[in-house]
Amino acid sequence: MTNAPPLRDDCFVMPRGVKWTPVEEALEKLHKSLKNITKTSVIPVSKCCGRILAEDVVAQTNHPPFSNSAVDGYGFALSALPDKGEIALKLTTGRSAAGNFYFDKVPAGYGLRILTGAQIPDGVDTVILEEDVNKIKDIIYFNSGLKKGANIRAKGEDILSGSTILQKSKKLSPADLGVLASSGVKTIKVYDQLKVAIISTGDELVELGNYNRKSQIVDANRPMLKAQIEQWGYTILDFGIVGDEEALIESVLNEASRTSDIILTTGGASAGDEDHISRLLSQKANLQTWRIALKPGRPLALALWNDIPVLGLPGNPVAAMVCTHIFAFPAFSFLAGAGWLEASGINVPAAFSKNKKAGRTEYLRAKLNADGHAEIFNSEGSGRISGLSWADGLVELKHNTESIEKGNKVKYIPF
Ligand code: AMP
Ligand code: MG
């Protein structure tokens, strides 16, 4: 009767006698072990969305390039007008419109019809809005009280030629393309796109539609993680499914390390009989850390294979996705030249209550309700992949947290 151990009934209880690395420590180790890629290319601005700047960018022109009117109205020199009462101002002939400027000087004491975006001609320092005047023939009537410079966008008030507009390591957004174009920048230097090799491991895995025996399951990790990684803007090198055989895994790792910047494997990362990735990495590479105090997904292998980092994630799709967001995301952004960016979150009230064991970080599939409070998926079962698509993100419960009450602030990390 004394041979059997007590029931634990929690597959995520941290076995004793093992060093469980807290998430923060694992992230720090991961960060320290990586070197970012330094190859760069010069590309046209039109092709740069999603790429990462390899140097600061300096504006080649002012924005606006010349002072121009912010409204449709009438321009004049304010100092030539009375500063009290109603004003009657005679308009000079001609007008200034966007793309069709007025090149003469407007005489003091006269006004000029001026339209939005038109260059402010000499002799004008103020523009009055068309709706604020009464025009009778060639005279406009309006009340005094305008400030000098009203309704004028000054040359360079937004961006000064020669100033730094975007900084090295920035991942370029659609809006950045607008800024670059408005600053006269035609080409920029970016880091070469990160190449991520992806490998699923497990004798049970098949591609969708390829069943030939009952014990097989469809590889869910590759389609999911490939899509996620491509959405982050990286290039995928897909090495398919590899069975649980060390020689096979070894040759795929060799190939992947020749062509990629980082290798992401799923499956076989724990310490079981069939966990060939962790065994191989500890025998043939300098496996650094592989037991992380987190739920779901505690096995995580990190090693260099022919100098290329290998992140060995758990096979369970929920754990694989969580670890991709928590560990792979900052590793990729660092390698790609964008700096070490951990999955960022916002603090929101919990729409749930829950007890938790201290000594591990937990990630719960979550989404925000209409009040902006975080709801969690109704099952924590890490095999429940449906909860991943139900969720819009993760709630992170810190290492030492033991209980969460409704309304307590929790960190919500959107996908
Ligand atoms: P492992 O990490 O290899 O021990 O796998 C843990 C669990 O995840 C097992 O139930 C595997 O069958 C499952 N699994 C591993 N890889 C995948 C995958 N690519 N797609 C779906 N399930 C997987
Ligand atoms: Mg396996």
Side-chain angles (χ1 to χ4, degrees):
M1 291 304 279
T2 51
N3 286 339
L7 288 178
R8 280 201 260 244
D9 201 28
D10 177 355
C11 66
F12 285 101
V13 162
M14 304 294 164
R16 285 187 205 118
V18 176
K19 157 89 170 107
W20 290 97
T21 309
V23 169
E24 281 90 40
E25 196 182 319
L27 283 167
E28 212 179 297
K29 284 184 176 173
L30 180 58
H31 186 180
K32 282 196 187 130
S33 70
L34 300 174
K35 285 185 267 228
N36 68 342
I37 52 170
T38 47
K39 275 201 189 158
T40 60
S41 312
V42 173
I43 61 168
V45 162
S46 60
K47 298 261 187 291
C48 76
C49 191
R51 302 296 297 273
I52 296 160
L53 278 178
E55 62 184 15
D56 291 356
V57 181
V58 169
Q60 301 301 304
T61 57
N62 289 298
H63 183 258
F66 44 80
S67 293
N68 67 84
S69 179
V71 297
D72 288 348
Y74 301 89
F76 45 80
L78 189 73
S79 54
L81 305 185
D83 53 10
K84 281 200 191 72
E86 189 184 295
I87 297 167
L89 186 67
K90 190 168 167 62
L91 298 177
T92 184
T93 51
R95 58 173 212 160
S96 193
N100 221 334
F101 302 153
Y102 181 86
F103 290 105
D104 293 335
K105 183 175 174 174
V106 176
Y110 283 83
L112 177 77
R113 176 67 168 150
I114 189 162
L115 298 166
T116 305
Q119 182 162 26
I120 301 296
D122 279 354
V124 172
D125 59 22
T126 304
V127 173
I128 187 163
L129 195 66
E130 158 179 298
E131 289 81 354
D132 286 346
V133 309
N134 183 21
K135 179 171 176 288
I136 300 172
K137 292 199 176 138
D138 62 348
I139 297 186
I140 54 172
Y141 298 87
F142 55 98
N143 283 311
S144 58
L146 272 179
K147 286 208 180 75
K148 187 172 169 185
N151 298 313
I152 290 178
R153 306 169 180 144
K155 172 179 175 176
E157 73 173 19
D158 183 23
I159 296 167
L160 272 181
S161 178
S163 65
T164 299
I165 39 167
L166 295 173
Q167 260 150 7
K168 179 178 170 173
S169 296
K170 184 172 201 298
K171 185 172 183 175
L172 296 164
S173 68
D176 291 330
L177 272 69
V179 167
L180 289 163
S182 297
S183 318
V185 178
K186 292 195 202 88
T187 58
I188 50 166
K189 193 192 258 190
V190 294
Y191 288 110
D192 283 1
Q193 242 162 344
L194 188 75
K195 293 194 283 294
V196 180
I198 187 162
I199 306 168
S200 287
T201 73
D203 279 342
E204 75 280 31
L205 300 178
V206 282
E207 299 285 354
L208 182 62
N210 283 3
Y211 290 102
N212 51 38
R213 54 184 166 86
K214 277 205 173 125
S215 53
Q216 291 174 323
I217 65 159
V218 173
D219 178 5
N221 289 344
R222 265 168 51 252
M224 172 173 74
L225 299 182
K226 276 163 68 177
Q228 179 64 77
I229 294 164
E230 277 168 352
Q231 209 177 68
W232 288 335
Y234 306 119
T235 302
I236 289 281
L237 302 174
D238 186 351
F239 286 88
I241 297 168
V242 183
D244 287 317
E245 199 184 309
E246 270 154 60
L248 273 179
I249 300 173
E250 197 173 335
S251 78
V252 175
L253 286 178
N254 282 337
E255 206 187 320
S257 63
R258 276 194 290 272
T259 48
S260 64
D261 302 305
I262 183 166
I263 302 168
L264 199 69
T265 69
T266 62
S270 200
D273 300 351
E274 292 294 333
D275 290 319
H276 301 273
I277 289 278
S278 53
R279 185 161 331 115
L280 192 64
L281 294 180
S282 52
Q283 283 166 3
K284 303 220 166 159
N286 54 339
L287 183 72
Q288 296 191 22
T289 171
W290 57 279
R291 286 178 158 194
I292 301 190
L294 97 156
K295 176 188 173 183
R298 43 180 214 202
L300 184 106
L302 165 63
L304 292 179
W305 189 272
N306 297 336
D307 259 1
I308 297 295
V310 181
L311 264 183
L313 307 187
N316 174 300
V318 175
M321 188 65 157
V322 166
C323 289
T324 297
H325 280 272
I326 302 306
F327 295 101
F329 176 78
F332 292 168
S333 64
F334 181 78
L335 290 171
W340 179 260
L341 303 172
E342 290 180 15
S344 63
I346 47 171
N347 292 322
V348 301
F352 60 92
S353 54
K354 175 185 156 54
N355 290 327
K356 164 184 168 294
K357 295 203 169 60
R360 68 189 184 198
T361 304
E362 291 191 12
Y363 294 95
L364 310 174
R365 282 148 281 177
K367 65 177 166 194
L368 297 185
N369 65 21
D371 297 323
H373 296 198
E375 285 180 5
I376 54 173
F377 188 55
N378 60 21
S379 160
E380 286 182 30
S382 62
R384 301 280 291 269
I385 194 169
S386 62
L388 275 179
S389 68
W390 173 89
D392 291 329
L394 300 170
V395 155
E396 180 185 77
L397 303 181
K398 298 266 180 217
H399 195 79
N400 290 326
T401 300
E402 286 188 83
S403 81
I404 295 289
E405 301 296 331
K406 260 189 192 175
N408 287 169
K409 286 284 176 71
V410 289
K411 183 173 167 190
Y412 172 73
I413 302 169
F415 283 146

